[in-house]
Amino acid sequence: MLDPETFLTELYVAADDFCKAHLPAAPHPGPTASLTVGEVVTLAVYGQWARFPSEAAFYRHACKRLRPLFPTLPSRSQFNRLVRRCGAAITAFALHLGRDVATHDHAYEVVDGTGLVTRNAKRRGAGWLAGLADIGWCTRLGWYEGVRLLASVTPGGAITGWGIGPASSNDRTLAETFFAVRADPDPRLPSAGRPVSACYVTDMGFSGKRCQARWAENYGAHVVCPPQTGSKRAWRKPLRTWLAGIRQVIEAVNDRLLFVCGLDRERPHDLSGLLARLAAAVGLHNFCCRLNRRLGRGDLEFADLIDW
């Protein structure tokens, strides 16, 4: 168990070393930013702990407790702009941590989707994230308005890539884009990451003979999933039980993202802010996995990692 200052120091060293080694200094007109990219990445990732119920709560904590460590901390609005501006750096840091944890853990990847609420479906007007967020179904939430998060994790729980789409998106549609971008990277979708295995394990929501054959042929993604209910290709119960067992890691990872990293309370107004905070949440998850492994703990043992 670590105290918060030690955890923050470990995080800052990792973020600063990554930014100096992998992110070239980009020319920026005007005065120098109040925080370096490494400092912004550190604070953005640290602020995703669920003990901070909102951005305002984290900023109050930072002003009260972290000012000696970050003496040039700007105003809250300026800090939020810096986080959105550094979204690509936060994404790259989160993916770097995921690949680092997955170095010896890449027999296969588990892919699944979950819902993220963005607004109350009964509110009037176009709502937040108009054109992206809509109404869809999630087993955890029922009917909700928001976006759908697709994530790919290793057997140990490291997140190697993710993406979002409208809540009404079919899992196969999201997977099509996800696998295509992994096979042919697109700078507009950096969060998809790079595969650590050619084999993916999913639930029956991704099932389809034509889809699976196309993914294998076009993108080199071999998807293992049970057939749809009522299919003539139905699996026997022992095989379904085996697959459900190795898929449990994605449920544990979703639980950490939603309730430990605070994504369950996200109510974003702006797409860039959502993408930056989502990347920060993934970065916090992957960093905790790496730190736990270094400390000889289970990768997903987050509850008592910090002695708050």
Side-chain angles (χ1 to χ4, degrees), residues 154-168:
T154 65
I159 302 174
T160 62
W162 69 93
I164 62 170
S168 60

Side-chain angles (χ1 to χ4, degrees), residues 97-293:
L97 292 173
R99 292 191 67 84
D100 186 36
V101 176
T103 302
H104 304 291
D105 182 26
H106 52 262
Y108 57 88
E109 296 184 63
V110 185
V111 177
D112 199 9
T114 191
L116 297 179
V117 177
T118 57
R119 67 185 283 269
N120 187 338
K122 296 182 179 180
R123 288 185 56 178
R124 295 181 179 179
W128 299 334
L129 296 180
L132 175 62
D134 62 8
I135 296 177
W137 172 266
C138 174
T139 304
R140 176 176 58 88
L141 298 169
W143 291 105
Y144 74 101
E145 185 153 356
V147 297
R148 189 161 182 81
L149 168 67
L150 186 79
S152 181
V153 307
T154 65
I159 302 174
T160 62
W162 69 93
I164 62 170
S168 60
S169 299
N170 184 280
D171 283 336
R172 289 189 293 269
T173 302
L174 292 177
E176 183 81 33
T177 303
F178 185 73
F179 294 143
V181 174
R182 284 196 145 194
D184 185 15
D186 188 326
R188 296 172 297 178
L189 297 172
S191 64
R194 299 289 293 167
V196 297
S197 172
C199 181
Y200 296 88
V201 177
T202 67
D203 62 15
M204 66 175 62
F206 297 81
S207 178
K209 292 179 65 175
R210 294 181 181 177
C211 292
Q212 291 173 257
R214 183 171 65 253
W215 296 337
E217 180 180 355
N218 296 343
Y219 314 128
H222 301 274
V223 177
V224 178
C225 59
Q228 297 282 348
T229 302
S231 171
K232 295 180 180 179
R233 301 182 296 126
W235 285 8
R236 294 183 177 182
K237 186 175 180 179
L239 188 55
R240 297 199 307 271
T241 302
W242 166 78
L243 189 70
I246 65 175
R247 280 196 63 259
Q248 283 304 305
V249 64
I250 191 71
E251 305 297 340
V253 169
N254 285 339
D255 180 80
R256 303 305 188 278
L257 287 176
L258 292 168
F259 305 113
V260 177
C261 301
L263 282 183
D264 187 54
R265 296 193 306 270
E266 278 291 327
R267 298 295 184 269
H269 297 207
D270 177 76
L271 178 59
S272 62
L274 170 61
L275 295 177
R277 290 194 295 277
L278 177 57
V282 174
L284 177 61
H285 172 90
N286 284 340
F287 179 74
C288 288
C289 288
R290 190 175 80 163
L291 188 58
N292 274 331
R293 185 171 293 185

